[in-house]
Amino acid sequence: MTSRLEKICSERGLKMTEQRRVISRVLSEAHDHPDVEAIYRRAAAIDPKISVATVYRTMRLFEDANVIEKLDFRDGRSRYEENREEHHHHLIDVNSGEVMEFKSEELEAIKRKIAADMGYDIIGDRLELYGVKRGAPAAARKGK
């Protein structure tokens, strides 16, 4: 079965080796914005011949081809997700590291209004919110 990411790579003319197919499948099935080490572990579970160097090279290739997006959630590691058409933002729990995606038409309208008021049209944006769960102990609420 061909993954969404593999189809996009093929459409963009990338040569898809078997190892790249495995890595693209891992990324397409991910719901947690994995880092290279997590991608490597998942890919190696499918194909033990995949090396971490192959994963790094493939991630760079996919990023250069604009099929994945590299994310920095201030936790010391680059995370990745498919570069999808649908616009969304991220809320990062600074205590657990959990990353939640969200959409808000109200927020989109506010962003457009701010840009218009300043004489601009938005051509791209990224919003990351960092927070702690309500009710978390005081020490945990300070964040990292």
Side-chain angles (χ1 to χ4, degrees):
M1 186 168 156
T2 305
S3 70
R4 291 182 310 270
L5 190 59
E6 185 179 345
K7 288 177 187 172
I8 294 168
C9 289
S10 294
E11 289 168 4
R12 297 198 180 166
L14 294 178
K15 180 182 175 198
M16 293 302 289
T17 65
E18 190 54 40
Q19 292 180 329
R20 288 179 187 167
R21 290 180 205 287
V22 169
I23 294 166
S24 69
R25 188 173 350 138
V26 166
L27 287 165
S28 286
E29 293 172 359
H31 298 287
D32 61 345
H33 306 83
D35 64 4
V36 168
E37 292 298 323
I39 296 165
Y40 166 68
R41 284 191 305 276
R42 295 170 195 178
I46 298 167
D47 180 355
K49 294 178 282 191
I50 291 178
S51 71
V52 72
T54 297
V55 175
Y56 272 104
R57 282 191 306 272
T58 301
M59 298 309 290
R60 191 171 306 114
L61 175 74
F62 286 175
E63 187 180 359
D64 290 346
N66 202 30
V67 295
I68 62 167
E69 187 171 359
K70 184 178 183 178
L71 306 167
D72 178 6
F73 295 141
R74 300 187 208 166
D75 61 357
R77 55 197 175 128
S78 295
R79 311 254 209 126
Y80 298 89
E81 70 179 359
E82 282 186 61
N83 200 351
R84 301 183 310 247
E85 292 293 322
E86 65 185 31
H87 186 69
H88 65 277
H89 300 290
H90 299 100
L91 171 63
I92 299 98
D93 183 314
V94 298
N95 293 321
S96 70
E98 181 182 6
V99 178
M100 295 150 281
E101 295 182 353
F102 70 93
K103 299 177 197 173
S104 168
E105 193 48 49
E106 182 180 10
L107 176 61
E108 298 306 315
I110 291 168
K111 291 187 300 187
R112 286 189 299 272
K113 181 178 181 342
I114 291 169
D117 288 351
M118 298 177 79
Y120 285 85
D121 292 321
I122 296 175
I123 59 169
D125 73 288
R126 178 184 298 184
L127 176 67
E128 296 163 358
L129 303 175
Y130 297 85
V132 294
K133 277 259 199 225
R134 286 189 184 142
R141 294 192 57 79
K142 292 180 182 174
K144 293 184 180 177

